[in-house]
Amino acid sequence: MMEEEELEFVEELEAVLQLTPEVQLAIEQVFPSQDPLDRADFNAVEYINTLFPTEQSLANIDEVVNKIRLKIRRLDDNIRTVVRGQTNVGQDGRQALEEAQKAIQQLFGKIKDIKDKAEKSEQMVKEITRDIKQLDHAKRHLTTSITTLNHLHMLAGGVDSLEAMTRRRQYGEVANLLQGVMNVLEHFHKYMGIPQIRQLSERVKAAQTELGQQILADFEEAFPSQGTKRPGGPSNVLRDACLVANILDPRIKQEIIKKFIKQHLSEYLVLFQENQDVAWLDKIDRRYAWIKRQLVDYEEKYGRMFPREWCMAERIAVEFCHVTRTELAKIMRTRAKEIEVKLLLFAIQRTTNFEGFLAKRFSGCTLTDGSLKKLESPPPSTNPFLEDEPTPETEELATEKGDLDQPKKPKAPDNPFHGIVSKCFEPHLYVYIESQDKNLGELIDRFVADFKAQGPPKPNTDEGGAVLPSCADLFVYYKKCMVQCSQLSTGEPMIALTTIFQKYLREYAWKILSGNLPKTTTSSGGLTISSLLKEKEGSEAAKFTLEELCLICGILSTAEYCLATTQQLEEKLKEKVDVSLIERINLTGEMDTFSTVISSSIQLLVQDLDAACDPALTAMSKMQWQNVEHVGDQSPYVTSVILHIKQNVPIIRDNLASTRKYFTQFCIKFANSFIPKFITHLFKCKPISMVGAEQLLLDTHSLKMVLLDLPSIGSQVVRKAPASYTKIVVKGMTRAEMILKVVMAPHEPLVVFVDNYIKLLTDCNTETFQKILDMKGLKRSEQSSMLELLRQRLPAPPSGAESSGSLSLTAPTPEQESSRIRKLEKLIKKRL
């Protein structure tokens, strides 16, 4: 029972003495020790084993026990000493706390004494300075009173002088005095409750009213609205009156400006009435010449009368523009049937030139003046007419070089007067749009007639296929129309013009490009096998002449040029049209049309070369391959195919030098067409002997090398073929080689032959296998057992795909074909 209690005590003691790792680490840093007994993970059994590693070491157990007991006694003494030393610590701490509290009380008492002394000092200072503050307030009030009395004296004297000068019309002195009086009066706003001050303020207002009425009367007398003729020049009195009007109510100034401008333009309204001959568009120059003379006359006679900041010359010009716009709109509505395109363009050109003249002469600051009706400001302009206008020759040259997107000159600042008069022509721009529709129709008809008269372009083997000249002419005309229309309007007329552009882009694509592509025709006369096997007569199978090939390439290059330029045209139209109408500019359909022409041209070139190779492939399939006795050089049909390729491809490449990517497309499409056709004809070569298969394999390799070299064949500059094209040729022709290798393999034993077929060809379908058996010349009875063995050896189709598997045995999809070619390529790499 005692032992159990001791064990429990030991366990409780260990639980109490279990320290956290942080505390243990701190103890080790403060009291570093190498003694195993001081370690946190002390193990008694390991320690005892260390002391007594062997049985012989137990002989000195008594000595070890005595040492441990001695150590225990020393530890007990140390613990006892430390405990006794801590008995007086609590009492010392309490004594130190009491001493600290006494010191704090003494410090608080001293602070309180200092605060009391500071309050007494502050009270003493206030008593000393009380009299000084009273003196300061008295001085400030006295200064304010003197200043106010001075202002009052100045105000009273100024009002008296103002009234006297007003009666004597001394406007020069009044202008200076009135401004001073109004400045002084501002100081008395807080004293308006005083009757005398209020009376003086009312006298100032009355003087201002009298001045305004008097100045208006003087101007009415000097510039009567009706009746007498204007005097020869302004007077100094009116010049000074304008200075006074600047200080008075702004309505006085506006009334003076309005009356002067109305009187100044009264002659214009009479001379250019609607019923006058000079009022029509053909004499629009006279309107602008009249206002230019009037502006010169104003500067000479009245330039110094009105203050410069009034901008009277500009105000006269702006009001003239508003009146002219209204009058022109009225007369054009009345005589709309008489408006012709040339007349309309003449009037617009003269008007925009006049607006440009105004922009150079004036800043346009009065257009934001609320007193005059302001025309809607145009959006930020990208109008090329604000730049130096290019000549037709430079336009044509720029278009031929690459187009509508050449580097621009720094743009001039926006014209603030743009549209201030020319806006009135916008409702009648339908005449211009209809004219452009007619002109473009005639232009397309002329292109068609010129093409028929001149015939197809001459072969070009130096710089690449030439773009048809009519294409550049069309886009030069488009650019001219676009710039001209954007000068007239950036709204709905631009959308109407875009619709016209779309219409004739499509017509150009179909009538000029697609309509002139050579038509494919079937050969009327049959060719004998013997003639097909003759090397030099292979060229007779070509369907297109050299001129026709050059024509197709020229049309392709033209369509590519039109595609790129149409895209730039769309961007330019979006730049010039209003922001709200940008979404309605879309030439995607027209670009698709040119893409269709390009595809059709490439397809024609592929069909031509493909058809030229057909007789040679037919000859290959009709040869007696079982009678071939030895393997020689390449067969005549291969020479015939190579001859056609060497005849056509260099011509096409040279004429498509400027559009290299489309030549690459031609090569890829030809490879995709020729290789499957070659494999189809290969299956028709049956039966084949071992030697015949070897000859076919040699021919296939020769064709593969020619096809790989197709992009640079016959060229002095050897270029590496594009990787996409090389991959197609390698995949397709390697499959043909694998088919021939299966044909060459012995068909016995059957299992080896079938496994070899599955390994070399990834088609893994019975149809291809049966074609190979036919090529070997095996009987149907032999084929049935081999087909059955193939079905057994083929991997099982995935669950749920039986129906699709049966379809793949008869007609593999393009995806399956591509997958098989990839597997075949991997197999060839492994074999190599």
Side-chain angles (χ1 to χ4, degrees):
M1 193 69 180
M2 290 293 293
E3 292 178 354
E4 292 179 357
E5 292 177 356
E6 289 178 359
L7 289 173
E8 291 177 358
F9 176 74
V10 169
E11 291 176 355
E12 291 176 358
L13 184 62
E14 288 179 352
V16 171
L17 294 177
Q18 190 69 30
L19 302 177
T20 62
E22 292 81 4
V23 175
Q24 190 65 37
L25 180 62
I27 293 173
E28 290 178 358
Q29 291 176 352
V30 176
F31 303 106
S33 174
Q34 301 295 329
D35 192 343
L37 294 174
D38 292 334
R39 294 177 61 84
D41 56 348
F42 173 74
N43 191 321
V45 175
E46 291 181 358
Y47 183 68
I48 292 172
N49 290 334
T50 305
L51 294 176
F52 305 104
T54 60
E55 292 183 2
Q56 290 77 11
S57 61
L58 293 175
N60 57 352
I61 188 172
D62 294 335
E63 182 181 351
V64 173
V65 170
N66 291 332
K67 287 181 179 179
I68 293 175
R69 286 176 178 172
L70 179 60
K71 191 172 185 179
I72 292 172
R73 282 198 298 274
R74 287 178 180 174
L75 286 173
D76 289 341
D77 292 340
N78 292 337
I79 293 171
R80 193 178 298 110
T81 302
V82 172
V83 171
R84 287 175 180 173
Q86 295 295 321
T87 54
N88 296 328
V89 171
Q91 184 176 357
D92 295 341
R94 285 192 296 273
Q95 185 177 356
L97 180 62
E98 290 174 357
E99 292 176 357
Q101 289 175 344
K102 290 179 181 179
I104 291 171
Q105 290 176 355
Q106 292 175 1
L107 180 62
F108 182 74
K110 291 180 180 179
I111 292 172
K112 187 175 180 183
D113 292 341
I114 293 171
K115 182 179 179 182
D116 293 340
K117 290 179 182 179
E119 290 176 352
K120 291 178 181 179
S121 299
E122 183 181 1
Q123 187 65 28
M124 188 182 299
V125 170
K126 286 181 179 180
E127 291 175 357
I128 292 171
T129 59
R130 182 180 298 115
D131 296 335
I132 297 175
K133 285 184 178 180
Q134 290 176 354
L135 290 174
D136 286 341
H137 287 306
K139 179 181 177 181
R140 188 181 305 114
H141 293 157
L142 182 61
T143 303
T144 303
S145 299
I146 293 172
T147 304
T148 303
L149 287 173
N150 286 334
H151 286 164
L152 182 60
H153 176 71
M154 292 168 58
L155 180 62
V159 170
D160 292 338
S161 300
L162 181 64
E163 291 173 344
M165 291 176 183
T166 300
R167 287 191 294 272
R168 293 194 296 270
R169 284 182 165 77
Q170 297 176 343
Y171 295 129
E173 291 79 0
V174 168
N176 296 325
L177 181 60
L178 179 59
Q179 186 63 53
V181 169
M182 293 179 67
N183 291 338
V184 172
L185 189 60
E186 290 179 359
H187 295 284
F188 290 93
H189 281 320
K190 54 186 176 181
Y191 303 118
M192 286 299 172
I194 301 173
Q196 291 81 0
I197 302 298
R198 187 168 58 251
Q199 183 180 3
L200 285 173
S201 176
E202 291 173 353
R203 287 176 62 188
V204 171
K205 291 180 180 178
Q208 287 179 318
T209 304
E210 184 181 353
L211 274 171
Q213 294 174 351
Q214 190 170 295
I215 290 172
L216 289 175
D218 290 345
F219 269 94
E220 181 65 29
E221 182 181 353
F223 303 104
S225 300
Q226 299 175 353
T228 62
K229 188 178 179 181
R230 288 182 302 182
S235 64
N236 292 332
V237 175
L238 294 180
R239 181 180 61 194
D240 295 337
C242 291
L243 298 177
V244 176
N246 256 344
I247 305 170
L248 297 175
D249 189 341
R251 287 177 293 183
I252 303 298
K253 169 186 171 183
Q254 296 299 332
E255 187 67 23
I256 293 172
I257 292 172
K258 182 178 178 181
K259 286 188 176 182
F260 180 80
I261 293 176
K262 182 178 180 182
Q263 195 274 340
H264 214 71
L265 295 179
S266 59
E267 180 184 347
Y268 173 71
L269 294 173
V270 175
L271 290 176
F272 294 91
Q273 286 182 2
E274 185 177 351
N275 57 358
Q276 298 295 325
D277 184 52
V278 293
W280 188 228
L281 299 180
D282 58 344
K283 295 182 178 59
I284 199 169
D285 278 342
R286 298 190 182 183
R287 293 177 181 267
Y288 305 133
W290 182 89
I291 188 61
K292 289 177 182 178
R293 289 195 302 271
Q294 292 302 313
L295 292 175
V296 172
D297 181 64
Y298 165 81
E299 292 293 344
E300 292 177 353
K301 294 182 179 180
Y302 308 104
R304 296 182 181 180
M305 186 175 77
F306 295 100
R308 183 178 297 274
E309 63 270 17
W310 284 22
C311 302
M312 283 300 295
E314 181 177 327
R315 292 179 185 275
I316 292 170
V318 170
E319 184 62 21
F320 166 82
C321 291
H322 293 317
V323 172
T324 302
R325 188 178 69 250
T326 304
E327 293 297 319
L328 286 176
K330 188 191 303 181
I331 194 172
M332 282 192 292
R333 281 196 302 270
T334 306
R335 305 171 62 177
K337 294 182 179 180
E338 300 179 33
I339 299 176
E340 297 178 353
V341 177
K342 291 183 179 180
L343 180 61
L344 181 65
L345 292 180
F346 168 79
I348 292 174
Q349 183 184 8
R350 294 295 187 269
T351 301
T352 51
N353 290 344
F354 174 70
E355 291 171 351
F357 162 78
L358 294 180
K360 292 177 182 178
R361 178 84 180 272
F362 305 115
S363 64
C365 59
T366 61
L367 294 176
T368 57
D369 194 335
S371 64
L372 293 175
K373 183 179 178 182
K374 180 183 178 296
L375 190 72
E376 289 186 5
S377 59
S381 175
T382 55
N383 191 339
F385 274 92
L386 296 180
E387 307 170 7
D388 292 340
E389 185 175 349
T391 62
E393 291 78 10
T394 57
E395 282 184 350
E396 184 173 358
L397 180 61
T399 307
E400 288 176 354
K401 282 182 178 179
D403 274 26
L404 299 170
D405 205 16
Q406 53 185 346
K408 298 179 181 178
K409 298 179 181 178
K411 291 178 63 176
D414 291 342
N415 181 358
F417 297 94
H418 176 71
I420 192 169
V421 179
S422 56
K423 270 285 184 185
C424 66
F425 297 111
E426 188 165 327
H428 305 278
L429 286 179
Y430 67 90
V431 177
Y432 171 77
I433 300 300
E434 291 174 355
S435 171
Q436 296 309 320
D437 188 3
K438 179 181 177 183
N439 292 342
L440 282 169
E442 294 174 353
L443 188 64
I444 294 295
D445 293 339
R446 181 166 63 82
F447 290 161
V448 173
D450 290 348
F451 190 93
K452 291 180 179 178
Q454 298 172 5
K458 301 299 181 183
N460 186 353
T461 57
D462 297 327
E463 299 294 333
V467 174
L468 299 181
S470 58
C471 177
D473 295 341
L474 178 67
F475 282 101
V476 166
Y477 190 83
Y478 270 12
K479 182 179 180 182
K480 179 182 176 182
C481 294
M482 177 182 65
V483 173
Q484 197 173 45
C485 188
S486 66
Q487 183 189 20
L488 309 180
S489 171
T490 57
E492 288 295 334
M494 282 292 288
I495 301 299
L497 185 66
T498 302
T499 304
I500 299 297
F501 284 175
Q502 291 174 302
K503 172 184 175 183
Y504 289 103
L505 282 173
R506 290 191 297 269
E507 285 203 14
Y508 185 84
W510 296 122
K511 289 185 177 181
I512 308 298
L513 301 182
S514 183
N516 287 305
L517 284 174
K519 303 297 186 292
T520 55
T521 57
T522 57
S523 178
S524 58
L527 295 176
T528 61
I529 295 176
S530 60
S531 67
L532 291 172
L533 294 177
K534 292 180 181 179
E535 294 182 7
K536 296 184 179 180
E537 292 179 5
S539 61
E540 294 177 4
K543 292 187 177 182
F544 289 147
T545 63
L546 174 61
E547 290 75 14
E548 289 174 331
L549 288 176
C550 293
L551 173 60
I552 295 173
C553 294
I555 289 176
L556 192 154
S557 300
T558 304
E560 191 269 341
Y561 171 86
C562 291
L563 177 63
T565 312
T566 301
Q567 186 176 1
Q568 295 171 9
L569 177 65
E570 181 182 41
E571 293 170 1
K572 288 296 179 182
L573 286 169
K574 288 182 177 180
E575 287 179 12
K576 297 184 183 302
V577 78
D578 290 342
V579 177
S580 59
L581 301 175
I582 287 179
E583 295 298 327
R584 295 172 62 183
I585 304 290
N586 187 356
L587 303 183
T588 305
E590 289 63 40
M591 288 187 273
D592 291 342
T593 301
F594 289 117
S595 297
T596 303
V597 174
I598 292 172
S599 299
S600 300
S601 301
I602 294 175
Q603 192 61 36
L604 275 178
L605 295 173
V606 171
Q607 288 177 359
D608 178 63
L609 183 55
D610 211 13
C613 296
D614 279 347
L617 295 180
T618 303
M620 175 191 78
S621 62
K622 293 186 178 182
M623 284 182 64
Q624 301 298 320
W625 293 102
Q626 74 275 19
N627 297 330
V628 177
E629 297 178 354
H630 61 275
V631 179
D633 201 354
Q634 63 187 25
S635 301
Y637 75 88
V638 176
T639 305
S640 177
V641 171
I642 295 173
L643 182 61
H644 285 300
I645 290 175
K646 287 184 176 181
Q647 285 178 344
N648 283 27
V649 173
I651 297 172
I652 296 171
R653 181 183 59 245
D654 293 340
N655 281 275
L656 294 181
S658 59
T659 55
R660 192 75 188 174
K661 62 180 180 179
Y662 293 117
F663 175 69
T664 302
Q665 285 187 23
F666 159 75
C667 294
I668 291 174
K669 287 189 176 183
F670 174 70
N672 281 328
S673 173
F674 176 80
I675 293 174
K677 187 179 292 187
F678 173 74
I679 293 175
T680 301
H681 282 79
L682 198 63
F683 283 132
K684 295 179 181 180
C685 299
K686 54 186 178 182
I688 303 177
S689 64
M690 179 65 70
V691 179
E694 291 178 359
Q695 180 64 50
L696 274 173
L697 185 60
L698 176 63
D699 295 342
T700 302
H701 181 74
S702 299
L703 285 175
K704 179 180 178 181
M705 292 299 102
V706 171
L707 289 175
L708 287 174
D709 191 43
L710 180 71
S712 59
I713 194 168
S715 174
Q716 296 178 354
V717 180
V718 179
R719 292 184 180 179
K720 187 178 179 181
S724 56
Y725 171 75
T726 303
K727 187 175 181 181
I728 292 171
V729 173
V730 169
K731 285 181 180 180
M733 296 307 290
T734 302
R735 181 171 182 266
E737 291 175 344
M738 293 301 105
I739 290 172
L740 291 171
K741 287 184 179 181
V742 174
V743 173
M744 291 168 59
H747 61 277
E748 290 182 352
L750 300 182
V751 175
V752 175
F753 178 74
V754 171
D755 288 344
N756 191 40
Y757 163 73
I758 295 173
K759 193 179 297 183
L760 291 178
L761 284 175
T762 54
D763 288 25
C764 294
N765 62 67
T766 55
E767 183 182 3
T768 303
F769 188 63
Q770 187 163 6
K771 290 179 180 179
I772 292 175
L773 296 180
D774 290 339
M775 292 173 71
K776 290 179 70 68
L778 297 179
K779 298 178 180 179
R780 289 295 178 181
S781 57
E782 293 176 310
Q783 292 183 16
S784 58
S785 58
M786 297 178 76
L787 288 169
E788 185 61 31
L789 180 61
L790 174 67
R791 292 189 183 96
Q792 295 174 2
R793 306 289 289 183
L794 284 176
S799 59
E802 288 78 3
S803 59
S804 62
S806 62
L807 291 175
S808 66
L809 292 176
T810 56
T813 62
E815 291 78 6
Q816 292 171 330
E817 197 72 28
S818 176
S819 174
R820 292 165 184 166
I821 291 174
R822 284 196 295 270
K823 291 179 182 177
L824 178 61
E825 186 178 14
K826 292 179 182 178
L827 179 61
I828 293 169
K829 288 180 180 179
K830 290 180 181 178
R831 290 174 63 87
L832 292 175

